[in-house]
Amino acid sequence: MTEKYAVILAAGQGTRMKSKLYKVLHPVCGRAMVDHVLTQLEQVGIDQIVTIVGHGADQVKRLLGERTTYALQAEQLGTGHAVMQAEDVLGPKDGVTLVTCGDTPLFTATTFKQLFAYHEQQGAAATVLTAHTEQPFGYGRIIRNADETVAKIVEQKDATSEEAAVQEINTGVYCFDNKELFAALHQLSNDNAQGEYYLTDVIGILKQAGKQVDAFQMDDFTESMGVNDRVALANATRVMQQRINTHHMQNGVTMIDPATTYIDADVQIGNDTVIEPGVVLKGKTIIGSDCVVGAHSEIRDSVIENGVTVTASFLENAVMHKDSNIGPYSHLRPKAEIGEGVHIGNFCEIKNAQIGQNTKVGHLTYVGDATLGKEINIGCGTVFVNYDGENKHHTNVGDYSFIGSGSNIIAPVEIGDHAYVAAGSTITDDVAPHAMGIARGRQVNKKGYYDRYPVAEAAKKNAEKYGEK
């Protein structure tokens, strides 16, 4: 079996992005562009992948790790010069080498496989991946011989009117016989306006040597979209998002409005889950089956089990176990774990807390650094006071307890099973099982005090509007 290799060109700075972030590291649907390219190549069964790095080399290496070999292009002297940097790794080997760019995140493993297969079938020295477009302006045109082999690649500025009318364009992806590639690279010249060594010139060198050069036209032109600026980045993101959403819908996920649903590439969603408009799902989020993610919710790097309902809420690094629900307008912060059947109501915030089965946290409540048992009722406006200005402290609340509305639970404190905290209490000491904790001043009513305050005069004026005394 023929050995397969790949070279990813990822050394350019990308000045047109006008960014401090190295171009190929810009994300498309939650994954860096160069990561998209590498991920697709990994699915092709390639024996060795070499990534050519230059600007931002250390950042690229940190991102991609040991998934690829690296070669450094210390000075950017053109695409041909970039591929030459892989010679120490690939030069002596027999096989087929695919060359692609790290700023083309939309190519798929299927297209790469088809290119390899066509190249080997034709027995060519080089095969150019091409595409058809009704608007070829700006692209290199593929000029074919009568037998469909490639005669030449003509750049826009050099094309005659007849050549400019050709709608088959060069995508910048190639398959080469590996040894033919590196032999031709040594013959490149930089005698051009840019003073660079172009990979496209290898095609001409091979043709002049009588070698066979073919072209394989892929089905979907949009895959060839390269990203050189923020406009192109947005366009690539739009195409990728449509692809991701289509994949999920084909797997049984209902999307009410895919055009306003934004899902990162690594998100997983089970069947019969409903995603409403304006939802954003990021990172490595996993959502089970039979869930409802309500309009304008955002979920990041979280695990949502089966049967969960999220209503207009924000979740990050959190877990919701099956049949639980949250919202509207609540926030799960990192290390929040919501148990089976738990209800988190509106305007609640949970952080670094575990909430047991069937417990209810109705509304307007903060639970931080706490472990709550099962079947607890947390009243409205309860605050788990976890920070003393220097350190965070933990609270435990036992099963079947009841925390009355407006309570402050001052950590560290232990509230036992079947305990009761009276509404409006500030709890600073432990509450034993089956005991009630109450910590508030006695109510005192002062007769006639209402009439001493400005509110009385305002009430009198308002009453006169209604003809009241």
Side-chain angles (χ1 to χ4, degrees):
M1 183 179 292
T2 304
E3 297 287 300
K4 294 183 177 69
Y5 312 108
V7 175
I8 302 174
L9 304 182
Q13 187 170 9
T15 54
R16 278 185 283 174
M17 296 295 287
K18 294 182 171 57
S19 175
K20 295 181 286 298
L21 183 64
Y22 182 42
K23 181 171 75 166
V24 299
L25 295 179
H26 277 266
V28 172
C29 296
R31 185 185 291 169
M33 290 192 286
V34 69
D35 194 354
H36 276 291
V37 176
L38 179 57
T39 298
Q40 296 303 311
L41 287 171
E42 287 172 330
Q43 299 175 36
V44 177
I46 293 175
D47 296 282
Q48 187 165 16
I49 301 172
V50 180
T51 300
I52 310 301
V53 294
H55 296 284
D58 290 340
Q59 295 174 347
V60 174
K61 290 179 179 180
R62 280 196 297 272
L63 173 68
L64 302 182
E66 297 180 0
R67 296 162 59 194
T68 174
T69 304
Y70 301 93
L72 178 65
Q73 187 187 23
E75 187 177 4
Q76 278 65 62
L77 299 176
T79 52
H81 178 260
V83 177
M84 180 62 79
Q85 308 314 304
E87 185 173 32
D88 289 345
V89 179
L90 300 180
K93 298 184 177 183
D94 292 312
V96 178
T97 297
L98 182 147
V99 179
T100 188
C101 296
D103 60 359
T104 52
L106 299 175
F107 281 116
T108 64
T110 298
T111 296
F112 289 145
K113 288 177 182 178
Q114 291 173 341
L115 177 60
F116 270 118
Y118 183 84
H119 175 82
E120 293 187 64
Q121 176 188 335
Q122 298 301 112
T127 303
V128 185
L129 181 64
T130 72
H132 177 271
T133 176
E134 298 292 332
Q135 298 178 324
F137 184 83
Y139 291 95
R141 309 302 204 281
I142 304 299
I143 309 302
R144 291 181 182 260
N145 296 313
D147 63 358
E148 292 300 306
T149 57
V150 175
K152 58 182 176 178
I153 301 174
V154 180
E155 297 304 322
Q156 175 72 43
K157 64 182 184 304
D158 300 320
T160 66
S161 58
E162 184 179 27
E163 291 168 338
V166 172
Q167 294 180 331
E168 185 180 14
I169 58 94
N170 178 19
T171 67
V173 178
Y174 310 86
C175 260
F176 296 98
D177 174 279
N178 190 65
K179 287 190 174 177
E180 295 282 9
L181 168 62
F182 286 100
L185 286 171
H186 281 284
Q187 300 176 52
L188 288 179
S189 167
N190 66 344
D191 185 17
N192 52 57
Q194 300 298 320
E196 294 184 349
Y197 299 92
Y198 294 130
L199 182 61
T200 49
D201 290 345
V202 168
I203 301 301
I205 291 170
L206 293 174
K207 291 291 294 183
Q208 290 174 4
K211 305 294 183 180
Q212 180 178 335
V213 176
D214 278 298
F216 173 72
Q217 187 175 128
M218 65 183 186
D219 296 329
D220 184 1
F221 167 72
T222 60
E223 284 191 30
S224 66
M225 187 184 299
V227 175
N228 289 313
D229 58 26
R230 304 298 179 116
V231 175
L233 182 66
N235 289 335
T237 298
R238 175 181 50 80
V239 172
M240 182 68 77
Q241 191 63 82
Q242 184 179 38
R243 184 187 296 176
I244 291 169
N245 289 358
T246 298
H247 167 76
H248 287 298
M249 288 187 287
Q250 289 173 339
N251 285 340
V253 175
T254 295
M255 292 186 191
I256 305 303
D257 184 8
T260 61
T261 301
Y262 303 94
I263 302 176
D264 278 355
D266 293 322
V267 171
Q268 302 175 41
I269 310 175
N271 68 324
D272 290 322
T273 284
V274 176
I275 308 295
E276 294 186 348
V279 166
V280 179
L281 305 177
K282 291 189 173 185
K284 298 188 181 299
T285 290
I286 299 173
I287 298 177
S289 299
D290 303 302
C291 296
V292 176
V293 182
H296 309 296
S297 295
E298 181 171 335
I299 304 176
R300 298 181 180 178
D301 295 307
S302 297
V303 175
I304 309 299
E305 293 186 352
N306 298 341
V308 169
T309 298
V310 176
T311 304
S313 293
F314 179 50
L315 286 63
E316 51 180 332
N317 296 103
V319 175
M320 292 190 69
H321 291 287
K322 67 179 184 177
D323 300 323
S324 58
N325 64 84
I326 185 172
Y329 312 118
S330 284
H331 184 185
L332 297 187
R333 291 172 58 192
K335 298 183 180 180
E337 183 174 358
I338 308 306
E340 181 179 340
V342 167
H343 167 66
I344 306 294
N346 52 304
F347 300 104
C348 294
E349 181 177 338
I350 315 295
K351 186 223 77 172
N352 190 28
Q354 296 73 47
I355 299 182
Q357 184 176 4
N358 293 331
T359 286
K360 294 177 176 58
V361 183
H363 34 278
L364 298 166
T365 288
Y366 171 70
V367 182
D369 296 285
T371 300
L372 277 59
K374 63 179 180 289
E375 302 285 353
I376 299 169
N377 185 84
I378 305 293
C380 175
T382 295
V383 177
F384 283 72
V385 183
N386 57 335
Y387 184 51
D388 64 7
E390 185 173 350
N391 297 303
K392 298 289 180 69
H393 299 279
H394 197 86
T395 292
N396 293 312
V397 180
D399 300 339
Y400 307 103
S401 294
F402 185 97
I403 309 297
S405 297
S407 295
N408 294 308
I409 312 299
I410 312 296
V413 71
E414 298 277 339
I415 298 175
D417 296 343
H418 300 274
Y420 194 104
V421 171
S425 293
T426 296
I427 300 298
T428 58
D429 297 319
D430 295 348
V431 180
H434 294 270
M436 180 181 77
I438 181 169
R440 61 189 185 211
R442 286 186 175 276
Q443 180 174 329
V444 177
N445 294 337
K446 301 285 187 178
K447 292 183 179 181
Y449 262 62
Y450 178 90
D451 298 323
R452 298 186 182 186
Y453 291 98
V455 66
E457 187 62 30
K460 181 179 179 181
K461 291 179 181 177
N462 288 332
E464 288 172 354
K465 290 190 234 176
Y466 301 102
E468 299 172 355
K469 294 184 179 179

